[in-house]
Amino acid sequence: MLTQRRHIRAILMTAASAGVLAATAPAFAQTPEPQDETTLDEVIVTGFRASLADALNAKRESNLIIESITAEDIGKFPDQNIAESLQRLAGIQIDRENGQGTKVRIRGLDQNVTLLNGDIFVTGLEIFRLGEGNIRQDSSLEGIPSELIGGVDVYKSPDASLLEGGLGGIIDLQTRRARTLRSDNLIAGDLRGNMNGDDGDWNPTGSLVVGHRFGDRLAILGTVSYDKTDIFTEVLGGENRGGWAYLGRPVSSGPARNIWSPEYRYATNRDQERERIGYSLNADLQVSDSLSLTADWFHSDLSILTQEASIKFPFANENATYAAANLTVGDNDVLESGTVTANSAEAISFVQNAEASTDNFQLAADWDNGGSLRGSVRAAWSTGDYESTSGNSDVRYTQYTVRNGTAAGFVPNPTAPATFTYSYLNGDNPTFTPANPAQFTTPTSVFAKSHWVFGENTEIENASLRADLEYSPDFTQGLTISFGVRYAERTVDSEYGRYLADYSGKGELDAHALGLGDWTPFGYFQDGAIGYKSCELPVGTPGRPVCSPGARFGDSPALITPYQTAATNPERFEAVTIGGIAALVQNRDQMRNPVAWIEALYPSTPFTFFRDPVESFMVEEKTTSGYLMVDVGEAEDRFHINAGARVIKTELGIDSSQTPVSGAYYHGTDSWNGVLANPVAVTTRREYTDVLPSATGVLEVSETDKIRVSAARVVSRQNLFQLGQGSNFNFTRSTTPGPDLDRFIYTNGNGGNTELDPYRASQYDIAYERYFGSQGLLSAALFYKSVDSFIQTDTVSRRVADGSVAGSTVGIFTQPVNGEGGTIQGVELAAQYAFDNGFGFNANYTFSDSESSNFSDFEDNLPIPGVAKHAFNLQGYYEGYGFEARLSYAWRDKSYQGNFAFGSGADSHNLSTWERAYGQLDGQIAYSVTEDIKVVLEGINLTEESTGRYLQFENLPFRYATGERRISLGARFTLGR
């Protein structure tokens, strides 16, 4: 229904815009003025070679330090993904997730700002959570249809007129202007099939561009695009589980050993379906010789269905014990091989159904009568909505005890073994081999253990209005004074919550209403081992079930039913192979609508969405800015100097929540089994002003050589999750024999910080460029950036209320704080050339040396997160006789990604995480059947490279994801330009 509403809204917007334009068109068509060809910018794009030439010309003519990409043809960007195109540029690397380029890093920094035509832009993926572990993501560009973009400028050095917000730089997406059409009518498009991996399934992809000029003064250009991909990834996970341990790990028949032991490692199969629809519309009106008006609408809908099936391998939980025989502990106390026996074997099926929808509107008026004064007014409004619902189902392959009113309980899968034994072989993607693989496929041993559903919704709205003036006084030549003002508002409302079951109809009492406790009759985890919380109330309490005192996990009557195995309800399960292990897991196709799925499992128990106030927040930001800038130098001069300052006043409001120091109660039977019911509202109001001076000089040493120097002060916004989130706690069910058996124990937590400051830095650049031939460039640039304060993570021990007998447990808690500064310095080298015989190449290399105040147990002054010391790109191509071919390779060195802390007391640790080096080979072959029809074959990640992370030591794997080859085959056509 949500998708249908969005599509209807998009169609109505398109129809309304077209109707307005159609109504105005005859007036302009009836009274055409003589055409002045000199007033039109002629765009002739003939392929990749021409797009490189356009980008090179933009770099050469700019007075700033920039990198550019232009479309190869109408509706065709060099790569299917905007981020993957940007990685070809000097000083730019990207992050990847599920085989897709996501976040862009400029000189290693991800604190950048993405604009559309120089103003605000919402992608819909500003903040979101990914996977069963709710891993927080931000600033992804994967939702942007590349077919709607005409070019991208990346500013590494700003001037005062450019919008603030980029610590590393500014990414400015450019849409096409309709009046640049060379003919009165344009129809262009492409139709392709995409295949991922070796499954042989093809998905349709296509785009259509339609343009029309109504005489000389009015033109419209519209684009629609559709893209669908299926991606399969094998993943090593578990970083979301904070119960790691190191000291004194138990070894059967031998002394305890110090071994870095994850709480769990997850071997995961991830299937992801992506469907993206994009629309854009540009209206370009020349009202008079001095006044022009433009309007842009940019819309995108992205649907992502993620389905995971994971087997959990316990190392530091479930009473896991290493076997002394064949135990090999290598360098750094890392397990290289061995056998582990634990109390449980489990798999989890996870399904997340997510949709991101965005609308970006822009209106602009430009006035220039040829005199000394010129001006423009621009208005922009953007909105984004990200919504997801996630379902989880644990399946048990060892004996599991559920409640049935007896002290012994009931084991629904009695044929399952009591323990789980497996062997482990270390590697970037370790190998797990169960000693008894039949326990994963024997129907009577496979029990549907627990189920839960959560959801999130983030709404973003931006609005801005700006006015700019340029004045070139008549009394002197080569002097331009520019000034402008801008007002903007941004609202981010992020809501996260849980779907809770209401057990009151089954007789669970409301302790809070009775004045007997801090809980209510709701539950998040639907697990048969959990009995009536009311068993903890005094015997004789009216309505209390028949059970022994405190016997919630003992002789409590059954509360969460039914109990189902693969033998009693086989249609609930599907057969999968995970890491070479055949297993029966919850059928993920049944979970595509997670809420309907869990309601069908428990039809007698109503479910309601409860907002989690600690995980939810609202940020409101108002900025008022102005700038004054001076340019010295005319087009024919050999020098150009730009100097100015931008002043920004920021009013920041944050509405978040915290857990009260005392008196907290919950919508749920426990803190871990519900959401906080009486949060303490935390309202933060802050104001600060930034003054951002900038200066740039360009000297044309000769007709071929240029020197550029730049200095600037820059600022970037705080991370929204870090700014708004309250205290979040993670719990795990204990299977260690003793008083806390089956109880949920606090393991680790994290929280935000409303007092975080923006990222602020001073930067300096010097570059030398030599241009030769029609498309030749050799360049070298030195850069230095001093960051005033980097956000770093503080780790402390914190006692949190949980389900333990003691009522609370001490564990790790992490929180972002304003840390000390850092520096990044380096060099960029670039070369490109187009030979007369049709061959050409471009290549670049970046060296970045950074240092921050971050530290781990083993290192001080770690690099700035995300900055790779070495990175390079190589690209060779050929165009001639109708044939086109190119091969591209991008490589980046390992990079520090932040810290991972765990443990308590003497076994507390703070380790650094590192992304492993990564290289990717892409290729494309095309043939022009006619001047207007081209057949294209494209391959991405041809060698199927994988990504991975390690924890502190290169032989201690932390995360791994395989990479699939993606193939695209299709044809493009163009009628008119």
Side-chain angles (χ1 to χ4, degrees), residues 386-409:
Y386 176 84
E387 185 173 358
S388 73
T389 309
S390 303
N392 306 261
S393 176
D394 276 343
V395 170
R396 180 87 166 200
Y397 307 105
T398 51
Q399 292 181 9
Y400 193 65
T401 303
V402 296
R403 309 279 69 82
N404 73 339
T406 68

Side-chain angles (χ1 to χ4, degrees), residues 741-819:
L741 179 67
D742 285 331
R743 294 175 178 268
F744 281 79
I745 308 299
Y746 171 69
T747 58
N748 68 322
N750 56 73
N753 185 349
T754 60
E755 296 302 320
L756 293 178
D757 291 329
Y759 295 89
R760 297 181 174 98
S762 299
Q763 65 178 46
Y764 309 91
D765 298 83
I766 181 169
Y768 182 87
E769 301 164 359
R770 166 164 286 189
Y771 298 87
F772 53 95
S774 59
Q775 293 185 48
L777 169 68
L778 290 173
S779 68
L782 299 174
F783 60 88
Y784 176 83
K785 195 183 299 279
S786 175
V787 183
D788 296 359
S789 174
F790 253 104
I791 308 302
Q792 67 181 49
T793 301
D794 269 7
T795 302
V796 297
S797 294
R798 184 165 177 174
R799 180 174 292 278
V800 173
D802 59 12
S804 64
V805 172
S808 63
T809 301
V810 175
I812 288 294
F813 186 84
T814 59
Q815 183 180 39
V817 296
N818 296 310

